[in-house]
Amino acid sequence: IGVAIAETQLVATGYRASKLLHQDVYNEKGEKIGQVDDLVISTDGNLSTAIVNVGGFLGVGKHLVAIPVRQFAHIAPKAVLPKASKDELKALPKFEYTV
């Protein structure tokens, strides 16, 4: 039980979820367009979706949208969603957790 030495080296090259949560999301122009609110792991264990907050202030008036991770240029160390604007994200259907 636990992590072998070889596995520890693999973990060290990855990113901690705690560092990815609440990071700002930018477009390719460097404009801040939202903030990562949550990450969804699919049943096969892969990171599948980022829940992005594109509205509100300090949690008031949140507008959460679900964005497939494959649409990001990269999610770490900086989240970049090319060809997106804050207005386009706000126009997406609001994401709501089911359970």
Side-chain angles (χ1 to χ4, degrees), residues 4 15 17 25 31 35 37-38 45 54 60 69 72 75 95 99:
Y15 295 97
V25 177
E31 301 166 332
Q35 187 177 59
D37 191 75
D38 206 352
V54 294
V60 178
V69 171
F72 284 80
I75 197 107
F95 174 82
V99 175

Side-chain angles (χ1 to χ4, degrees), residues 9 13 18 25-27 29 33 40 52 60 76 94 99:
Q9 293 171 345
T13 62
S18 61
V25 177
Y26 297 90
N27 62 17
K29 298 175 189 173
I33 57 175
V40 178
V52 178
V60 178
K94 190 172 183 177
V99 175

Side-chain angles (χ1 to χ4, degrees), residues 9-26:
Q9 293 171 345
L10 290 174
V11 170
T13 62
Y15 295 97
R16 293 181 4 213
S18 61
K19 296 295 182 182
L20 301 177
L21 292 174
H22 309 296
Q23 72 171 318
D24 293 333
V25 177
Y26 297 90

Side-chain angles (χ1 to χ4, degrees), residues 57-99:
F57 180 71
L58 297 175
V60 178
K62 267 188 178 183
H63 183 85
L64 301 177
V65 296
I67 307 292
V69 171
R70 69 179 179 279
Q71 292 182 7
F72 284 80
H74 43 83
I75 197 107
K78 180 179 177 181
V80 177
L81 186 59
K83 300 178 183 175
S85 71
K86 190 167 197 157
D87 288 337
E88 289 171 324
L89 293 180
K90 283 183 177 182
L92 293 174
K94 190 172 183 177
F95 174 82
E96 294 189 25
Y97 293 97
T98 56
V99 175

